[in-house]
């Protein structure tokens, strides 16, 4: 038994996701990422005295939608609170958040991990505003820090889990599953590079069989799956080593250094802020109409896990394929439309997963911007079935569709790519290849079956891939067998 087997790891996440509303949480400033610094600000989101915040209803709707998708109860009565702390990116000196009466509570998310369905309970989901951003690089002479308030007051939801996750890898899968759900709901773009989706991870270890939770550390602000994994694996090992050597884990906040693969202390419990929460006096409490909640519930789309299972059942796809194809709602929509149109889900899945996704990845393009319509891809698959083009030619056609958005019929016409299925023409080509390649022919006649592959390849080469491979195979085999029986008689 390894040392690690003596312990159980316990993890809980606090996930922050920016909501993709057009305007901020309490004012009408834009939320778009990447604008010139401090061009999307106003007296409200920069905390000028005397201004009054007004809650963005769309943000509330998105938060409720996310909470329903994660099986939460929606509070009938909820309110906002001030979380007071000083930081240069926080112009008001406090963040408007929710403290004791969050918008939603008591939910769960089911997700797949190691071929099993696992459940992580959601303790609460609340709505809050984001802070601004300090800029240390790319401006000034490098000795100053600047502040950009464009992000100040962009709406966020914070999703707090129960400590139900049992390994770093499982925590990462859960973190991915929640991202997929939010993307399916279209309530957040979850762009991790832009910081729209990030988490704090809490981790402790305890002797196996123990009911009591161990002392935890919290690793702040990770915005990549790699960072979460690196941080948690390092912490798990570090804490076990401390306990094994008879020490005590100190409850503290730590930061991850992904490059070095370690975490470092940031602040200890003694230094933890007292946020002096109190109810936000400038906002009325939120009373949420039940009918509105039900209305929102009716807009929930099929979620990734359900869709994955349905793809396996309805289209007979292997689990792996179903997973890849449902990793984005738009990719899943695309595949489904193509599968229905061409009537061959397996072929559609293969073309989408390997060739089309290959092209998309190579060019860094999202499926939504793809010039190949599902109709055109389905038509191309149909043309292969009709024997009009070979699979090899189809790849060429797909490349061209990808570049130009033209239909496969148009491309085949323009480039003269129609498959050669003329028996007479193919028969002549086979004769020529047999005459020009005596050695492989001899090998075949001596019983080396595989030599036929080379001969067929030569015919394909002569026709630049346009010969119908099935026909060439038949004709070549017939001719060689004739030669063989002549030789034997
Ligand atoms: P805080 O109020 O300090 O943020 P909470 O009790 O609200 O602490 O917990 C925050 C997160 O930490 C939750 O996701 C929770 O599941 C997780 N958590 C709490 N205690 C532990 C522990 N001992 N080990 C691992 N995770 C924990
Ligand atoms: Mg915390
Ligand atoms: Zn504003």
């Amino acid at each position: 038994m390894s040392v690690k087997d003596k312990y159980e790891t316990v993890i809980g996440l606090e996930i922050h996701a920016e909501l993709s509303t057009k305007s901020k949480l309490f004012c009408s400033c834009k939320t778009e990422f990447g604008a010139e610094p401090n061009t999307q600000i106003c007296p409200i989101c920069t905390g000028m005295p005397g201004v009054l915040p007004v809650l963005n209803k769309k943000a509330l709707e998105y938060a409720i939608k996310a909470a329903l998708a994660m099986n939460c109860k929606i509070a009938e009565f909820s309110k906002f609170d001030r979380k007071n702390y000083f930081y240069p990116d926080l112009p008001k000196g406090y963040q408007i958040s929710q403290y004791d009466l969050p918008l939603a509570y008591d939910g769960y998310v089911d997700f797949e991990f190691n071929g099993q369905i696992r459940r992580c309970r959601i303790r609460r989901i609340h709505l809050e505003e984001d802070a601004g951003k300090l800029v240390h690089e790319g401006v000034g002479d490098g000795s100053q820090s600047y502040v950009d308030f464009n992000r100040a007051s962009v709406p966020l939801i914070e999703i707090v889990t129960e400590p139900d996750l049992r390994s770093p890898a499982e925590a990462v899968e859960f973190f991915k599953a929640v991202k997929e759900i939010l993307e399916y709901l279209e309530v957040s773009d979850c762009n991790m590079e832009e910081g729209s989706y990030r988490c704090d991870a809490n981790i402790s270890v305890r002797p196996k069989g123990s009911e009591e939770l161990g002392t935890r550390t919290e690793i702040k602000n990770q915005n990549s799956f790699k960072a979460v994994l690196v941080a948690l694996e390092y912490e798990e090992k570090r804490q076990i080593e401390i306990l094994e050597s008879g020490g005590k884990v100190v409850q503290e906040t730590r930061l991850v250094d992904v490059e070095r693969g370690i975490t470092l202390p940031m602040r200890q419990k003694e230094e933890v802020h007292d946020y002096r929460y109190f109810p936000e006096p400038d906002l009325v409490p939120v009373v949420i109409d039940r009918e509105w909640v039900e209305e929102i519930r009716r807009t929930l789309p099929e979620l990734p896990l359900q869709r994955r299972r349905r793809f396996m059942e309805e289209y007979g796809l292997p689990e792996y394929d179903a997973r890849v194809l449902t990793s984005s709602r738009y990719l899943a929509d695309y595949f489904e439309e193509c599968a229905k149109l061409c009537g061959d889900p397996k072929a559609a899945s293969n073309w989408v997963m390997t060739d089309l996704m290959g092209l998309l990845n190579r060019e860094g393009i999202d499926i939504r911007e793809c010039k190949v319509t599902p109709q055109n891809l389905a038509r191309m698959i149909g043309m292969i079935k009709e024997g009009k083009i070979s699979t090899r030619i189809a790849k060429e056609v797909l490349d061209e569709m990808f570049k130009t958005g033209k239909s496969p019929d148009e491309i085949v016409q323009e480039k003269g790519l129609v498959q050669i299925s003329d028996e007479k023409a193919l028969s002549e080509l086979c004769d020529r290849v047999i005459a020009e390649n005596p050695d492989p022919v001899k090998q075949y006649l001596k019983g080396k079956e595989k030599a036929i592959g080379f001969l067929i390849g030569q015919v394909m080469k002569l026709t630049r891939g346009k010969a119908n491979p099935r026909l060439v195979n038949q004709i070549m085999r017939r001719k060689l067998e004739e030669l063989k029986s002549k030789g034997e008689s």
Side-chain angles (χ1 to χ4, degrees):
M1 196 167 97
S2 85
V3 171
K4 205 175 146 189
D5 294 329
K6 281 163 53 187
Y7 293 92
E8 180 177 54
T9 302
V10 176
I11 299 166
L13 300 184
E14 294 164 277
I15 300 174
H16 283 100
E18 267 182 16
L19 298 177
S20 47
T21 54
K22 289 202 177 67
S23 57
K24 292 187 178 179
L25 191 50
F26 303 114
C27 60
S28 54
C29 290
K30 281 192 192 156
T31 55
E32 248 162 71
F33 182 87
E36 277 294 300
N38 299 312
T39 55
Q40 299 177 347
I41 58 173
C42 74
I44 299 173
C45 55
T46 49
M48 295 297 132
V51 296
L52 283 178
V54 177
L55 180 60
N56 178 340
K57 190 173 177 189
K58 203 76 194 170
L60 187 60
E61 179 190 322
Y62 281 4
I64 293 173
K65 197 169 181 178
L68 290 174
M70 292 185 241
N71 306 292
C72 288
K73 299 189 177 104
I74 308 298
E76 302 210 2
F77 183 92
S78 171
K79 69 171 169 68
F80 288 95
D81 301 278
R82 285 189 186 180
K83 178 176 179 179
N84 300 281
Y85 65 96
F86 174 77
Y87 204 72
D89 67 7
L90 190 75
K92 295 198 286 280
Y94 59 84
Q95 176 194 26
I96 303 181
S97 180
Q98 298 195 286
Y99 185 51
D100 53 342
L101 294 173
L103 183 68
Y105 56 97
D106 267 1
Y108 63 87
V109 168
D110 288 338
F111 63 104
E112 275 169 329
F113 176 61
N114 274 349
Q116 278 184 323
I117 303 290
R118 299 274 304 153
R119 173 166 294 187
C120 181
R121 288 168 301 157
I122 305 294
R123 181 181 294 171
R124 58 184 278 160
I125 297 181
H126 69 253
L127 195 51
E128 63 185 27
E129 58 180 346
D130 210 343
K133 222 189 272 180
L134 291 183
V135 185
H136 310 282
E137 279 156 28
V139 278
D141 62 11
S143 68
Q144 302 105 346
S145 288
Y146 290 72
V147 61
D148 174 9
F149 289 124
N150 283 349
R151 200 177 70 176
S153 225
V154 165
L156 282 180
I157 47 173
E158 177 170 343
I159 303 162
V160 183
T161 77
E162 293 294 340
D164 287 348
L165 302 160
R166 290 292 172 268
S167 70
E170 191 189 18
V172 170
E173 278 314 302
F174 170 79
F175 190 39
K176 281 185 186 167
V178 171
K179 177 170 181 275
E180 277 178 6
I181 290 172
L182 298 176
E183 286 170 343
Y184 264 61
L185 298 175
E186 296 180 305
V187 299
S188 172
D189 66 16
C190 291
N191 188 324
M192 297 178 87
E193 282 112 72
E194 294 176 3
S196 307
Y197 187 72
R198 49 194 203 254
C199 83
D200 304 335
N202 297 268
I203 176 168
S204 62
V205 297
R206 63 184 173 193
K208 258 201 186 137
S210 156
E211 292 281 307
E212 223 174 298
L213 288 173
T215 305
R216 73 181 145 131
T217 56
E218 176 175 5
I219 309 131
K220 278 278 178 206
N221 238 336
Q222 289 137 106
N223 66 346
S224 77
F225 297 121
K226 170 106 188 281
V228 177
L229 189 68
V230 165
L232 289 174
E233 281 181 344
Y234 179 82
E235 266 312 285
E236 177 181 59
K237 194 160 158 275
R238 191 184 68 89
Q239 292 184 12
I240 290 175
E241 276 168 15
I242 291 174
L243 297 185
E244 275 296 298
S245 63
K248 272 197 179 125
V249 174
V250 180
Q251 180 170 347
E252 63 185 357
T253 303
R254 299 175 72 88
L255 286 175
V256 62
D257 182 334
V258 180
E259 238 131 73
R260 289 161 71 196
I262 59 170
T263 67
L264 296 159
M266 182 176 147
R267 56 170 185 244
Q268 293 202 342
K269 204 186 175 189
E270 292 74 51
E271 303 159 42
V272 162
H273 291 102
D274 170 5
Y275 290 118
R276 296 173 290 118
Y277 278 102
F278 64 86
E280 168 59 58
D282 288 341
L283 284 164
V284 289
V286 188
V287 177
I288 298 160
D289 181 27
R290 293 298 98 182
E291 248 170 62
W292 189 42
V293 172
E294 290 316 306
E295 228 171 81
I296 297 170
R297 197 191 297 279
R298 284 193 289 275
T299 68
L300 289 181
E302 185 181 27
L303 295 174
L305 186 63
Q306 282 84 327
R307 198 162 197 190
R308 199 162 291 156
R309 288 190 191 156
R310 183 169 63 76
F311 275 19
M312 290 167 70
E313 279 166 28
E314 199 172 321
Y315 302 121
L317 296 182
E319 187 173 343
Y320 176 79
D321 299 30
R323 243 195 114 76
V324 173
L325 291 170
T326 55
S327 61
S328 124
R329 174 177 173 178
Y330 311 105
L331 189 64
D333 288 345
Y334 187 101
F335 158 76
E336 250 194 310
E337 193 166 351
C338 181
K340 284 197 175 124
L341 288 169
C342 78
D344 185 345
K346 191 62 208 170
S349 140
N350 283 339
W351 280 99
V352 171
M353 275 179 57
T354 48
D355 300 275
L356 189 62
M357 283 180 73
L359 289 168
L360 291 169
N361 289 340
R362 196 185 70 197
E363 302 296 321
I365 293 176
D366 186 88
I367 188 77
R368 279 171 287 176
E369 298 149 344
C370 180
K371 286 192 185 143
V372 185
T373 62
Q375 287 78 7
N376 280 342
L377 185 61
R379 171 67 191 134
M380 189 199 85
I381 294 169
M383 287 167 91
I384 303 170
K385 290 210 164 148
E386 290 163 15
K388 250 193 152 164
I389 52 173
S390 65
T391 306
R392 217 194 93 187
I393 293 296
K395 287 186 201 271
E396 221 178 304
V397 172
L398 182 63
D399 266 341
E400 194 62 21
M401 290 200 290
F402 190 80
K403 272 189 227 136
T404 63
K406 286 184 184 164
S407 77
D409 292 283
E410 222 178 329
I411 293 165
V412 165
Q413 191 82 57
E414 269 176 22
K415 299 202 150 191
L417 295 173
V418 181
Q419 181 156 275
I420 304 169
S421 294
D422 176 348
E423 292 224 20
K424 193 159 159 275
L426 292 179
S427 170
E428 281 168 18
L429 285 170
C430 286
D431 286 340
R432 185 174 144 195
V433 165
I434 288 172
E436 285 173 1
N437 296 280
D439 284 346
V441 172
K442 249 185 243 157
Q443 285 175 2
Y444 181 88
L445 297 181
K446 272 195 237 155
K448 199 177 161 211
E449 278 268 325
K450 274 193 190 150
I452 195 172
F454 175 81
L455 297 167
I456 292 169
Q458 291 308 104
V459 176
M460 297 307 293
K461 215 169 169 184
L462 284 173
T463 59
R464 297 210 314 281
K466 287 191 288 185
N468 178 331
R470 214 187 52 234
L471 264 182
V472 175
N473 194 311
Q474 276 171 15
I475 295 169
M476 185 64 84
R477 198 169 291 275
R478 198 177 62 224
K479 285 183 186 292
L480 290 174
E481 286 305 316
E482 274 169 21
L483 282 178
K484 204 181 206 171
S485 53
K486 263 191 214 150
E488 279 162 6
S489 64

